[in-house]
């Protein structure tokens, strides 16, 4: 069973109470997904929530060998504008992933949405960190809801 993640690039400040709360909610949602049978977790590799969720799955993999991580990459240049710190995190995520799915060699309008649609199509569950209704994350969460799969909102 596959669980996909969707969430915003902007997160609460690291070390803040809001960030700590987000981490606790993420951990609880992942535990719930595992208890429902999820073993494969899919992230889109974007800055913010995707990197955070992917790093949590890499941590979980160390204690539970049944867990796997798939990174859905919309285009080869996805990380070209990441900060140096986030580029290192992205590279570590790819290095630790069990599978990477490159969906397009080149960037084109709509490639991020296509990546999100593919993740939802492959998913049985979704964990969503959505604070803005007019965002790609909200759109992805709505795709999951339309598909009829359980969505854990953080």
């Amino acid at each position: 069973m596959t669980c996909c993640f969707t969430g915003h690039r902007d997160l609460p400040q690291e070390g803040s109470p809001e960030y700590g709360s987000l981490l606790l909610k993420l951990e609880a949602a992942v535990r719930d997904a595992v208890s429902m049978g999820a073993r494969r977790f899919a992230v889109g590799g974007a800055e913010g929530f995707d990197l955070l969720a992917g790093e949590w799955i890499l941590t979980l993999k160390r204690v539970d060998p049944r867990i796997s991580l798939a990174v859905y990459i919309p285009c080869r240049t996805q990380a070209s504008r990441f900060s140096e710190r986030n580029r290192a995190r992205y590279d570590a995520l790819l290095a630790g992933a069990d599978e990477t799915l490159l969906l397009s060699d080149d960037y084109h309008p709509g490639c991020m949405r296509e990546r999100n649609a593919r993740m939802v199509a492959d998913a049985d569950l979704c964990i969503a960190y959505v604070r803005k209704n007019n965002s790609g994350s909200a759109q992805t969460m709505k795709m999951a809801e339309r598909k009829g799969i359980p969505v854990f909102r953080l």
Side-chain angles (χ1 to χ4, degrees):
M1 179 180 285
T2 296
C3 178
C4 70
F5 293 95
T6 188
H8 302 301
R9 287 174 177 81
D10 296 326
L11 298 179
Q13 179 73 30
E14 283 186 48
S16 71
E18 295 82 12
Y19 188 81
S21 176
L22 175 59
L23 288 177
L24 291 174
K25 290 174 184 176
L26 173 61
E27 292 171 16
V30 170
R31 273 195 313 273
D32 288 346
V34 169
S35 73
M36 293 175 71
R39 298 296 180 263
R40 181 179 183 266
F41 290 85
V43 298
E47 289 182 289
F49 187 71
D50 282 3
L51 289 177
L52 180 66
E55 289 167 340
W56 177 244
I57 296 304
L58 290 179
T59 298
L60 184 58
K61 279 179 45 158
R62 291 187 202 119
V63 296
D64 188 343
R66 302 171 300 164
I67 301 301
S68 69
L69 176 65
V71 181
Y72 287 61
I73 305 166
C75 59
R76 282 192 198 286
T77 58
Q78 173 174 252
S80 65
R81 295 186 179 166
F82 285 13
S83 67
E84 187 175 322
R85 176 179 182 259
N86 282 342
R87 179 58 193 244
R89 293 172 67 201
Y90 178 81
D91 290 343
L93 194 68
L94 295 182
D98 298 284
E99 55 183 307
T100 56
L101 293 86
L102 177 64
L103 301 177
S104 176
D105 281 327
D106 301 310
Y107 172 84
H108 63 275
C111 70
M112 304 298 176
R113 185 183 188 292
E114 290 167 10
R115 180 244 355 247
N116 296 342
R118 175 71 184 274
M119 282 196 314
V120 169
D122 292 348
D124 305 290
L125 304 166
C126 178
I127 296 174
Y129 174 68
V130 175
R131 296 290 179 265
K132 298 175 236 167
N133 290 328
N134 60 341
S135 65
S137 298
Q139 185 180 61
T140 304
M141 181 181 73
K142 289 172 188 165
M143 283 184 221
E145 290 171 341
R146 281 192 300 273
K147 183 179 175 186
I149 65 174
V151 176
F152 299 96
R153 286 196 71 171
L154 308 184

